[in-house]
Amino acid sequence: MEKNSVDYSPLLSPRVEEAAKKTFCLVSATKWTLKSLICVIFIAWAAFIFVFPAELVHGLYSKWINLSEGTPFGITGSIFMIFSAPVLIIAFLAIAHLLITGEHQFHGKKSSKYPRFRLWTFPVLVKGPFGVVSATELIGIVLFSLYVIWAIFAYTLRALAFMYERSSFKDKSMFMLKIMGLRLGSIGLFCLAFLFLPVSRGSVLLRFIDIPFEHAAKYHVWLGHLTMVIFTLHGLFYVIAWAMDGRLGQELVEWKDIGIANLPGVISLLAGLLMWVTSLPGVRTWNFELFFYTHQLYVVFVVFLALHVGDFIFAIAAGGIFLFVLDRFLRFCQSRRKVNVISSRCLPCGTVELVLSKPQNLRYNALSFIFLQVRELSWLQWHPFSVSSSPLDGKHHLAVLIKVLGKWTERLRQRITDADAQKDSSVQPHTVITASVEGPYGHEVPYHLMYENLILVAGGIGLSPFLAILSDILHRVREGKPCQPRNILVVWAVKKSDELPLLSTIDMETICPSFSDKVNIDIHIYVTRELYPPVEEGYIYKPIKSSFCPMASDSGMSVLVGTGHNFWSGLYVISSTIGFVIFMFLLYNYHINPSGIKIWWYKGLLFVICMVAGVVIFGGFVVGLWHIWEKRSSMKDRPNNVTIDEIQQTGTLGPKDPSQDNIAKSTIIRYGSRPDFKEIFELMSEKWGHVDVGVLVCGPPTLQTSVAEEIRSHSITRQRHHPIFHFNSHSFDL
């Protein structure tokens, strides 16, 4: 029998291996084809927008509009096909790519044998209005700037050619102001076509190119400033021209049926200006709630913009806005679910840890974050928090660490403290925390697993996502799952030593016994505002009391999230788009065309209604089916009880025993000093040699700037045998 088993295995193995190779090649070829097609469509779309101000291209565009005027969708359909349809087509192709790739994109892909620079991880600008800017981001900024400069230049030349037909200086000035105001409005619409793409948290486009919402948010900020500057100049030029003509008051309140309606434009611009002013860094820092609430005026901004320009002009920017509506409705559906708070505790430094219930099939990785709402504190406020637990810590829970920094977090800590006091006094607890969650969001691929060498730089509560990373790596090492990191340096800067217990929220030795034989983890802690260690021994490892919170309902997070199940999220996007097209077809063929409706603002309003109806009705039907599927899946996977003891066994909540912890041997604490990144990077350069090193930074902007500046300096002066450091930030800032 032993001989037979040896004889048969070579006969079967080549066949299985050959079939696996064919499948792999087919999948790889399909993915490459989809990627290439997406790149071609995007480049063609962006190139057409770039050259659109040219007189020749604009003339061809006008001919296309005249030829397609008699089609069922009219001019609106023609403009939509040119400027908005490419975005939706790319989204469909991205869905196909995600489905082929599967739920988990990381399968232990080896890092490059020869370290090399990467444009998206090489910091070029580290100080200035844009913060830390990579080479890729700088290219994007330059291209957008070139487009605006080129468009203004081209439109100015064309306007000057017609200006000399006017006789008086006043007529020439008014003509120039009006024509440039009009052209600035069109440039602003093209910027608006991009503005809503990065702010869609679960967008398939962001998932395809693996840009998490926390990074994309800064692109939205940059585009928002540019768009509002252009729209403000657009309105200002018209206001000056109307004032010169003595018709300012009359023009501002004019609401035309045929042509541009001025009053809706004024309302839209005022809403945009209010959002813009309150989003400036000084105002946002002074009163975040003012910024948050006024930013909900985007509804007024978009709707009155459609009333201002009508359906066919609004179609220029409709693609990105439609994807945002898709994301916003799905977030609304997910946030209706009440989520159990399994346990809570307050750390000595004023940090709160919440452990939330989640279904087994909810996808996230160690660098994810969630938006959290506590209804007992506010029905409107949502706050982002990094996940501090690994998906491998437990199938049915997720943890977050919350630093007390403002009124909302202070009230949350007080509520948990009151619950602990009621428990200690043998009084039946009645303090309930009713949580709702949007997310998790984050990187599609856990890129921290793709570097053999990691440097994790944290400031204060910025350690939270790195605890999840360490836990994730240790779990994978113990279970033999794909995982590249073998050398990890943690650099953690804190103000006072009472923050050190944050490190005890993860028990590395329990997760992976004798992990030091497989992974080298060094932790350097810098206590900046204390010169000497605390008198109390074992302060770092002081046990922290955990408590249960009364549960409002037996439920976990909803999986209705764009970054969730690829099939359902893809079906939701496709069905909503089909619904939008169907409603537009019915509208034009059974109402607008038969009735001969020519009112611009009315058609613009109907266009927006069709967008929303397609998402709510067709997309809502898929969301309903998705919810039923989720409910049945959760019934199969639901555990009998998730107890605090079960969670402690995962290493997420259990207090550490220093006598059994090898990590204490590799932990260095320095008091009264700050990290010297030049010295740190030089030391790692000599120690690790010519390799790729992933540097992840989570902390205040000053910390990110310091690390990025040192990486840039090192990259410029590095020697051939030194490593290449790749900068990655993980700081969330709305």
Side-chain angles (χ1 to χ4, degrees):
M1 293 295 295
E2 195 172 321
K3 182 180 179 183
N4 291 340
S5 63
V6 173
D7 289 339
Y8 275 104
S9 59
L11 295 175
L12 295 175
S13 296
R15 295 179 181 177
V16 175
E17 188 175 344
E18 185 179 354
K21 278 186 178 180
K22 288 182 178 179
T23 303
F24 176 78
C25 292
L26 180 62
V27 171
S28 299
T30 305
K31 289 168 60 178
W32 182 87
T33 303
L34 289 172
K35 280 186 176 180
S36 301
L37 190 56
I38 288 173
C39 289
V40 169
I41 294 174
F42 176 78
I43 292 173
W45 175 63
F48 181 79
I49 292 177
F50 192 90
V51 300
F52 183 74
E55 190 170 357
L56 176 62
V57 177
H58 193 76
L60 294 174
Y61 166 77
S62 300
K63 291 180 180 179
W64 160 256
I65 295 299
N66 293 331
L67 290 173
S68 59
E69 191 172 359
T71 58
F73 293 99
I75 299 176
T76 304
S78 303
I79 296 177
F80 187 88
M81 282 297 297
I82 295 175
F83 295 110
S84 291
V87 178
L88 301 181
I89 293 172
I90 291 174
F92 294 163
L93 296 175
I95 291 169
H97 185 277
L98 292 172
L99 287 171
I100 293 172
T101 303
E103 298 293 329
H104 303 283
Q105 296 198 31
F106 178 73
H107 300 286
K109 185 173 67 173
K110 293 287 184 181
S111 56
S112 175
K113 183 178 179 181
Y114 302 102
R116 61 189 181 195
F117 288 103
R118 298 165 191 164
L119 293 178
W120 55 92
T121 60
F122 178 64
V124 179
L125 303 178
V126 296
K127 294 180 180 179
F130 297 104
V132 179
V133 178
S134 69
T136 302
E137 292 168 343
L138 181 61
I139 292 172
I141 292 172
V142 170
L143 289 177
F144 257 99
S145 301
L146 286 176
Y147 164 71
V148 174
I149 295 171
W150 143 250
I152 293 175
F153 174 75
Y155 286 137
T156 302
L157 287 182
R158 290 165 59 183
L160 288 173
F162 292 97
M163 186 183 70
Y164 295 107
E165 298 177 3
R166 271 65 182 174
S167 56
S168 65
F169 175 78
K170 180 180 177 181
D171 290 341
K172 290 180 179 180
S173 301
M174 288 175 54
F175 171 78
M176 199 65 184
L177 287 169
K178 288 183 179 180
I179 197 67
M180 290 310 299
L182 175 65
R183 297 310 184 187
L184 284 170
S186 65
I187 296 172
L189 280 173
F190 288 128
C191 294
L192 192 65
F194 291 90
L195 179 63
F196 284 90
L197 294 177
V199 81
S200 302
R201 298 175 187 172
S203 169
V204 291
L205 300 181
L206 297 182
R207 292 180 61 198
F208 171 73
I209 55 180
D210 198 19
I211 296 181
F213 174 67
E214 62 179 277
H215 289 181
K218 68 178 180 180
Y219 306 149
H220 173 74
V221 172
W222 297 347
L223 286 168
H225 289 313
L226 175 62
T227 304
M228 286 312 305
V229 166
I230 293 172
F231 276 146
T232 302
L233 292 175
H234 159 73
L236 183 62
F237 282 10
Y238 272 107
V239 166
I240 295 174
W242 292 335
M244 291 175 62
D245 197 27
R247 294 170 50 84
L248 178 60
Q250 182 180 348
E251 291 286 353
L252 287 176
V253 298
E254 188 177 32
W255 194 315
K256 296 178 182 177
D257 287 340
I258 308 298
I260 300 296
N262 293 337
L263 182 57
V266 172
I267 296 173
S268 178
L269 182 58
L270 289 176
L273 288 172
L274 192 56
M275 287 191 292
W276 186 28
V277 170
T278 55
S279 67
L280 296 175
V283 180
R284 189 174 68 243
T285 304
W286 169 66
N287 194 329
F288 178 83
E289 293 183 7
L290 178 64
F291 153 75
F292 179 80
Y293 292 136
T294 54
H295 233 63
Q296 309 312 309
L297 291 173
Y298 70 84
V299 178
V300 177
F301 176 77
V302 170
V303 172
F304 278 88
L305 175 65
L307 296 175
H308 173 55
V309 298
D311 56 338
F312 67 93
I313 299 178
F314 183 77
I316 293 175
I321 295 174
F322 181 72
L323 290 179
F324 174 77
V325 174
L326 281 168
D327 179 75
R328 190 64 192 88
F329 179 70
L330 195 59
R331 284 162 45 197
F332 173 80
C333 295
Q334 187 195 25
S335 64
R336 298 307 93 193
R337 171 79 65 87
K338 295 179 181 178
V339 179
N340 287 345
V341 179
I342 299 175
S343 70
S344 64
R345 60 175 175 174
C346 294
L347 279 68
C349 59
T351 299
V352 172
E353 182 178 54
L354 296 181
V355 180
L356 307 171
S357 175
K358 79 170 187 68
Q360 181 176 345
N361 58 348
L362 181 67
R363 294 180 58 228
Y364 76 99
N365 63 49
L367 282 173
S368 296
F369 64 94
I370 62 172
F371 282 81
L372 180 67
Q373 177 203 60
V374 177
R375 299 183 181 181
E376 286 74 24
L377 304 181
S378 174
W379 279 79
L380 296 176
Q381 292 188 40
W382 291 84
H383 295 265
F385 299 105
S386 296
V387 173
S388 61
S389 62
S390 162
L392 301 177
D393 278 331
K395 298 178 180 179
H396 302 283
H397 72 272
L398 176 150
V400 292
L401 291 171
I402 302 173
K403 180 72 173 179
V404 177
L405 294 172
K407 296 179 182 178
W408 187 89
T409 50
E410 177 61 41
R411 285 186 290 156
L412 175 64
R413 181 177 63 176
Q414 186 62 45
R415 197 166 188 86
I416 294 172
T417 304
D418 293 343
D420 291 341
Q422 292 171 5
K423 182 179 179 181
D424 293 339
S425 61
S426 300
V427 177
Q428 184 66 28
H430 64 273
T431 305
V432 178
I433 294 179
T434 307
S436 295
V437 172
E438 289 183 5
Y441 304 103
H443 281 275
E444 186 70 12
V445 180
Y447 68 93
H448 61 279
L449 300 177
M450 297 181 180
Y451 295 103
E452 187 174 341
N453 307 279
L454 281 175
I455 298 179
L456 310 178
V457 183
I461 194 61
L463 184 69
S464 177
F466 297 157
L467 295 175
I469 286 178
L470 293 174
S471 177
D472 195 47
I473 291 172
L474 294 175
H475 274 294
R476 287 176 174 273
V477 169
R478 185 190 67 186
E479 299 173 12
K481 294 185 175 182
C483 179
Q484 295 299 317
R486 287 297 179 266
N487 301 300
I488 303 172
L489 171 64
V490 180
V491 180
W492 184 29
V494 296
K495 293 179 180 179
K496 296 184 178 180
S497 56
D498 62 0
E499 296 185 56
L500 299 182
L502 285 174
L503 194 58
S504 69
T505 58
I506 173 177
D507 191 342
M508 302 184 193
E509 198 68 33
T510 300
I511 296 174
C512 184
S514 303
F515 66 86
S516 56
D517 297 335
K518 302 176 182 179
V519 184
N520 298 316
I521 300 179
D522 295 315
I523 301 177
H524 294 182
I525 303 175
Y526 297 82
V527 183
T528 59
R529 296 189 181 180
E530 292 180 1
L531 299 177
Y532 305 102
V535 178
E536 183 180 357
E537 293 186 10
Y539 188 80
I540 301 176
Y541 306 104
K542 181 179 179 180
I544 305 166
K545 179 175 64 175
S546 300
S547 65
F548 285 105
C549 285
M551 299 183 185
S553 62
D554 184 21
S555 61
M557 300 179 190
S558 172
V559 299
L560 301 177
V561 57
T563 54
H565 196 279
N566 287 335
F567 172 79
W568 285 110
S569 58
L571 185 61
Y572 167 70
V573 174
I574 295 172
S575 63
S576 299
T577 307
I578 293 173
F580 171 44
V581 174
I582 290 175
F583 280 125
M584 287 294 293
F585 177 81
L586 295 175
L587 176 68
Y588 274 83
N589 286 273
Y590 294 97
H591 180 55
I592 292 179
N593 292 337
S595 303
I597 296 175
K598 303 293 183 182
I599 303 174
W600 285 27
W601 66 264
Y602 178 63
K603 292 166 67 177
L605 178 62
L606 293 177
F607 190 96
V608 174
I609 292 174
C610 286
M611 288 175 56
V612 176
V615 173
V616 174
I617 297 175
F618 282 75
F621 177 74
V622 174
V623 169
L625 296 178
W626 190 354
H627 177 72
I628 295 172
W629 172 84
E630 174 198 5
K631 193 173 182 180
R632 290 181 178 178
S633 299
S634 61
M635 290 297 292
K636 295 178 183 178
D637 301 330
R638 181 178 295 176
N640 293 330
N641 281 300
V642 182
T643 64
I644 194 70
D645 295 329
E646 178 185 340
I647 298 174
Q648 283 180 341
Q649 291 175 3
T650 66
T652 302
L653 297 179
K656 302 177 72 173
D657 183 359
S659 64
Q660 300 176 356
D661 191 6
N662 291 327
I663 196 63
K665 300 176 183 178
S666 57
T667 301
I668 300 174
I669 305 178
R670 297 181 174 88
Y671 289 86
S673 64
R674 298 179 181 275
D676 185 345
F677 291 111
K678 181 177 177 60
E679 179 184 342
I680 292 171
F681 283 105
E682 287 179 353
L683 180 63
M684 292 302 103
S685 296
E686 298 297 332
K687 183 177 181 180
W688 289 342
H690 186 46
V691 294
D692 284 314
V693 179
V695 182
L696 280 68
V697 186
C698 186
T702 52
L703 181 66
Q704 295 186 52
T705 299
S706 300
V707 175
E709 193 171 18
E710 184 55 43
I711 289 177
R712 185 183 65 176
S713 174
H714 177 274
S715 299
I716 295 173
T717 61
R718 65 176 291 274
Q719 300 179 18
R720 294 184 63 182
H721 64 280
H722 282 173
I724 294 177
F725 295 101
H726 301 277
F727 178 84
N728 300 274
S729 66
H730 188 72
S731 296
F732 193 97
D733 185 22
L734 275 176

